[in-house]
Amino acid sequence: VGAPTDVGGIDSSLPIVLFAVIFGLSMDYEIFLLSRVQEAHLAGMDTPQAVRYALERTAGVITSAALIMIIAFSAFVFGQVVANKTIGLGLAFAVLLDATLVRLVLVPAVLVLAGRWNWWLPEPLRRVMPKVSLEP
């Protein structure tokens, strides 16, 4: 990243900052994908159909949003501040992995493999959880 050779290491706060931002961004993509899976399942589709439906609806949006974030974070690499360069490179790489490998491959695969267990809720929780619907 163009760091001077006498720096000696990375700032100890950088991994914490990277983790916090990456976690927030990945949850955004995750909620977007899983809400579409749940919508499709509640509409009567089985789990593989619901996952396929959700991927068809969200893959383009997730990929586009990730591409925008990767471009924005990659711009930090061309600055002069070493900490910003490191954060930019780390975030760009993490968003690339998250949007391609995790959200569009691993999560759908785990959902399909889990099948009906995705929708299992223990009876004590089922009794106390409120019935919430996004549609009237």
Side-chain angles (χ1 to χ4, degrees):
V1 295
T5 56
D6 62 346
V7 171
I10 61 171
D11 184 9
S12 62
S13 65
L14 289 179
I16 296 168
V17 169
L18 283 172
F19 176 78
V21 175
I22 291 166
F23 184 79
L25 288 173
S26 69
M27 286 301 105
D28 184 39
Y29 298 146
E30 183 75 9
I31 290 170
F32 187 57
L33 175 63
L34 291 180
S35 64
R36 296 299 160 263
V37 173
Q38 184 185 27
E39 275 179 10
H41 180 72
L42 291 175
M45 295 182 194
D46 65 354
T47 302
Q49 288 175 325
V51 170
R52 195 173 314 113
Y53 170 83
L55 280 176
E56 289 171 0
R57 298 280 187 240
T58 63
V61 176
I62 290 174
T63 304
S64 299
L67 187 59
I68 291 168
M69 297 306 289
I70 290 168
I71 292 169
F73 291 142
S74 296
F76 292 174
V77 175
F78 299 106
Q80 298 298 319
V81 181
V82 174
N84 289 350
K85 288 181 172 195
T86 308
I87 288 174
L89 182 65
L91 290 176
F93 184 70
V95 168
L96 176 68
L97 283 179
D98 182 59
T100 56
L101 183 64
V102 176
R103 297 297 155 235
L104 300 179
V105 176
L106 292 178
V107 170
V110 169
L111 287 172
V112 169
L113 288 174
R116 65 182 182 89
W117 290 103
N118 291 312
W119 317 112
W120 177 76
L121 185 64
E123 191 57 40
L125 285 177
R126 189 181 309 269
R127 284 193 300 265
V128 297
M129 287 196 49
K131 303 284 189 239
V132 178
S133 175
L134 298 176
E135 298 180 16

